[in-house]
Amino acid sequence: MRALTLILLVLLLLIQIPLWFGKGGVLKVREMQNQVKTLESNNTDKELRNQALRSEVEDLQAGKGALEEEARYGLGLIKPGEIFIQVLSAENSSNNPRSDSGVIQIAPPPSMTTNNGH
């Protein structure tokens, strides 16, 4: 009886090996599920990026307003004869305004704090 029990136990273990370590085993399935989750996350991120790019392309194709906005803010371009005035923060201000490119940089006035005795 012991020999039969031992043989059946060995056969049971041999049947379990493919279930756990085989091509479609539990460990492979878990690994593939993790890969699917990662790929779905990447796809979601890329889909959001694609939607933003599609929207930008539609805006650029729709008219000159979007094109002009991109040129002004994205590339810093100005129209001929136009003067661009940039107000710098107190930390970034310099006393070196550039007028050769049509750009004038103005430092903000020093903060005016008054003490009226209040």
Side-chain angles (χ1 to χ4, degrees):
M1 188 69 170
R2 278 190 161 170
L4 183 61
T5 306
L6 186 61
I7 291 172
L8 288 176
L9 185 61
V10 169
L11 287 175
L12 183 63
L13 289 175
L14 288 175
I15 291 173
Q16 291 288 316
I17 289 174
L19 177 66
W20 290 97
F21 304 107
K23 200 174 202 177
V26 174
L27 298 177
K28 288 284 187 182
V29 169
R30 285 187 184 162
E31 180 182 330
M32 291 180 139
Q33 286 174 339
N34 289 336
Q35 287 178 353
V36 167
K37 286 180 186 176
T38 303
L39 291 174
E40 285 175 346
S41 174
N42 288 344
N43 284 345
T44 303
D45 293 343
K46 291 186 188 304
E47 184 60 35
L48 291 173
R49 182 173 178 261
N50 284 344
Q51 287 175 355
L53 289 174
R54 273 189 222 108
S55 174
E56 187 174 343
V57 166
E58 288 172 5
D59 286 346
L60 290 174
Q61 289 174 343
K64 291 183 178 181
L67 204 71
E68 183 176 339
E69 180 182 343
E70 180 65 27
R72 286 179 177 273
Y73 297 111
L75 303 173
L77 299 178
I78 59 173
K79 292 180 180 179
E82 186 177 57
I83 296 176
F84 175 73
I85 299 175
Q86 180 178 12
V87 178
L88 301 175
S89 64
E91 303 89 43
N92 296 334
S93 65
S94 66
N95 294 331
N96 189 7
R98 298 179 351 195
S99 61
D100 56 339
S101 64
V103 176
I104 299 173
Q105 296 179 346
I106 301 173
S111 59
M112 302 175 72
T113 57
T114 57
N115 244 345
N116 294 340
H118 296 292

